[in-house]
């Protein structure tokens, strides 16, 4: 039976993060789901899989009631399918950041830039003089990207800061960026705005939301989108692309 996969995140202050790990673990176990969830003082990030009913119940419980109250209400979440279990086990971990960047110095919740809906993304790509940045790691970019996007050539997200520090804000009046699910862009966007880039936009919901939302006939994405689970990559409509061997993606 196909499984439902939920890629989710939200930047929100969680000062009680240490006390949340055990209840979150228990919540996941109660619904019989597997995957990885990262907790940090800045929020929650992760991908989990289970039956459609289990994932629906888990997401509902996550956004209302203990252990988070309503702090995770409206979290960013993309649902897709997997023909085989994409995770072997459940991991719930506490980290400094939900996406490693600069030890929490950049506050994504304080101003990540302007989100652009997938339906409006194609029009933005046609903006003259637009600096379009793919914020993902180089091996992910090699698998697929938007035509014309700059590849910073990074092997870890924290290196994106060095790339930005080498840019002149005055030379780039409008910047747009994208990543797999949106989380990197919120961090990167906040960092760029703090560095003086006045107009920073990002693809809301990331590549996954774009592939899910935009009809294939209008889709400007080329190639496949790497995902950090056993499926390896997804294509338009979030269909699995099983023809990529894990050892080739390094």
């Amino acid at each position: 039976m196909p499984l439902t996969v939920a890629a989710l995140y939200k930047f929100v202050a969680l000062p009680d993060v240490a006390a949340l790990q055990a209840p979150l673990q228990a919540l996941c176990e109660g619904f019989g789901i597997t995957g990885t969830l990262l907790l940090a003082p800045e929020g929650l990030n992760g991908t989990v899989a289970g039956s459609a009913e289990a994932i629906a119940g888990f997401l509902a419980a996550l956004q209302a009631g203990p252990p988070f109250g309503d702090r995770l209400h409206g979290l960013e979440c993309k649902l897709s399918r997997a023909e085989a279990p994409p995770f072997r086990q459940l991991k719930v971990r506490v980290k400094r950041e939900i996406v490693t960047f600069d030890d929490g110095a950049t506050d994504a919740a304080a101003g990540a830039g302007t989100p652009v809906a997938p339906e409006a993304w194609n029009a933005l790509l046609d903006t003259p003089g637009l600096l379009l940045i793919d914020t993902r790691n180089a091996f992910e970019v090699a698998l697929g990207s938007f035509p014309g996007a700059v590849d910073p050539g990074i092997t870890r997200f924290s290196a994106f800061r060095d790339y930005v520090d080498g840019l002149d804000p005055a030379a780039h009046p409008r910047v747009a960026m994208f990543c797999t699910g949106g989380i990197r862009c919120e961090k990167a966007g906040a960092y760029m705005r703090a560095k003086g880039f006045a107009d920073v936009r990002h693809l809301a919901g990331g590549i996954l939301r774009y592939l899910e939302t935009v009809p294939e006939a209008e889709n400007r994405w080329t190639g496949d989108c790497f995902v950090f689970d056993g499926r390896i990559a997804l294509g338009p409509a979030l269909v699995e692309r099983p023809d990529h061997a894990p050892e080739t993606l390094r």
Side-chain angles (χ1 to χ4, degrees), residues 11 42 102 104-112 186-187 190-191:
F11 284 104
E42 66 179 5
D102 58 3
T106 298
D107 183 3
E186 294 205 33
K187 267 287 179 76
Y191 185 79

Side-chain angles (χ1 to χ4, degrees), residues 7-28:
L8 56 94
Y9 78 89
K10 184 173 184 178
F11 284 104
V12 60
L14 298 176
D16 55 339
V17 62
L20 294 171
Q21 183 179 19
L24 181 57
Q25 176 93 23
L27 183 64
C28 294

Side-chain angles (χ1 to χ4, degrees), residues 36-40 43-46 91 93-95 97-99:
T36 299
L37 291 170
L38 303 180
L39 282 164
L44 173 70
N45 176 32
K91 300 177 183 178
R93 296 174 173 171
V94 174
K95 299 281 189 176
E97 302 171 273
I98 56 175
V99 55

Side-chain angles (χ1 to χ4, degrees), residues 38-93:
L38 303 180
L39 282 164
E42 66 179 5
L44 173 70
N45 176 32
T47 305
V48 294
S51 69
E53 295 77 11
I55 292 297
F58 171 70
L59 292 175
L62 202 59
Q63 297 180 78
F68 295 95
D70 63 353
R71 289 179 290 178
L72 295 182
H73 180 73
L75 59 78
E76 179 66 43
C77 182
K78 273 78 64 181
L79 299 178
S80 56
R81 285 163 50 100
E83 297 304 318
F87 304 104
R88 295 180 179 179
Q89 58 187 328
L90 171 67
K91 300 177 183 178
V92 179
R93 296 174 173 171

Side-chain angles (χ1 to χ4, degrees), residues 1-5 80-86 211 224-225 227 229-244:
M1 179 180 297
L3 298 173
T4 296
V5 181
S80 56
R81 285 163 50 100
E83 297 304 318
L211 294 176
D224 297 331
C225 179
V227 288
D229 60 56
R231 296 172 297 172
I232 308 299
L234 303 179
L238 302 185
V239 174
E240 287 187 56
R241 302 284 192 159
D243 52 338
H244 297 287

